[in-house]
Amino acid sequence: MERDPAGGVRDVHEAVLAARRGTGLPPERWLAALTELRALREQLGAWEPELIAAARDGGTSWAALAPALGVASRQAAERRFLRLRPSSTGEKTGEARVVAERDRRAGDRAVADWARRNSAVLRQLAGQVSALDGLDAAAREGAERLGAALGDNDVTSLLSPLEAVRARLPHEHAGLADRLGVIRERTEQLRREAAGSRRDRTG
């Protein structure tokens, strides 16, 4: 359970006031205040990305967040959030998280552009897969997701369920699985190329 920081703030503040007055305190009191200050800083720092995420989920723009975060632009506000947010993919530094997120977005854009140019092929494959019989429960769930996604105007919504079904297709549908494998390889290639191109442009 997360502790209430109010008591810690009070203790640190009392030590600061004592220091300003020149009041002598035992060494352990100064050390305790410094230790408490470090813990408070870490706790408050962990709250910032949570509050930013909540504001974004509530519809607040990056431009509106910038002055609240003490930065000059929407780009700087987003960068601050990416640096502070815990990584879900293993990046160890804030800068690495910024790079990974921007690589991901560049890859998403490249894949979306490709999918829209190839929407007829993707929709045809999705229709074939969603009509298959004899699938196991996991593959059937993916096929049902495909059927629902076919009604979506955004063709990129087909990619995830197509990949989910690919690995579960029975042997008699090996040819179809191979075609889906080509799509997976192409989208992975597009993501790598987009990330590389973005890094080349930004130096």
Side-chain angles (χ1 to χ4, degrees):
M1 180 178 178
E2 191 173 63
R3 67 188 182 87
D4 184 348
V9 171
R10 184 172 57 251
D11 292 344
V12 171
H13 189 221
E14 289 175 356
V16 169
L17 292 177
R20 291 174 178 172
R21 291 191 299 262
T23 304
L25 293 177
E28 58 269 19
R29 285 287 305 279
W30 302 120
L31 292 174
L34 287 167
T35 300
E36 185 64 36
L37 180 60
R38 176 174 55 81
L40 287 168
R41 187 183 299 116
E42 292 174 354
Q43 184 171 355
L44 293 175
W47 287 353
E48 185 174 351
E50 293 184 44
L51 291 174
I52 295 171
R56 288 289 295 159
D57 289 344
T60 305
S61 69
W62 288 116
L65 278 166
L69 299 178
V71 297
S73 67
R74 62 171 301 282
Q75 293 87 352
E78 185 178 14
R79 187 179 187 88
R80 179 173 179 82
F81 173 62
L82 293 175
R83 289 177 64 88
L84 293 172
R85 184 183 62 177
S87 172
S88 60
T89 52
E91 292 79 23
K92 296 185 180 300
T93 67
E95 189 59 32
R97 289 194 288 275
V98 171
V99 171
E101 178 64 15
R102 292 184 175 173
D103 284 352
R104 183 190 66 77
R105 291 180 185 175
D108 285 349
R109 288 192 296 271
V111 169
D113 289 344
W114 174 86
R116 291 177 187 122
R117 292 195 306 271
N118 294 273
S119 62
V121 173
L122 291 174
R123 291 186 183 281
Q124 180 188 42
L125 283 171
Q128 290 176 358
V129 172
S130 63
L132 291 176
D133 293 324
L135 301 179
D136 64 20
R140 173 49 50 194
E141 180 182 355
E144 290 172 357
R145 286 173 56 202
L146 272 175
L150 277 168
D152 195 331
N153 289 331
D154 185 2
V155 70
T156 62
S157 63
L158 298 174
L159 294 173
S160 176
L162 279 172
E163 173 57 20
V165 172
R166 180 194 62 79
R168 306 292 304 189
L169 288 177
H171 180 70
E172 59 266 29
H173 300 300
L176 186 55
D178 288 343
R179 293 181 67 190
L180 298 180
V182 170
I183 291 174
R184 180 191 61 174
E185 292 170 3
R186 180 57 177 150
T187 57
E188 289 177 350
Q189 179 187 14
L190 287 166
R191 291 184 185 282
R192 291 193 299 269
E193 291 175 350
S197 177
R198 188 196 69 79
R199 294 187 191 190
D200 288 343
R201 289 195 306 272
T202 58

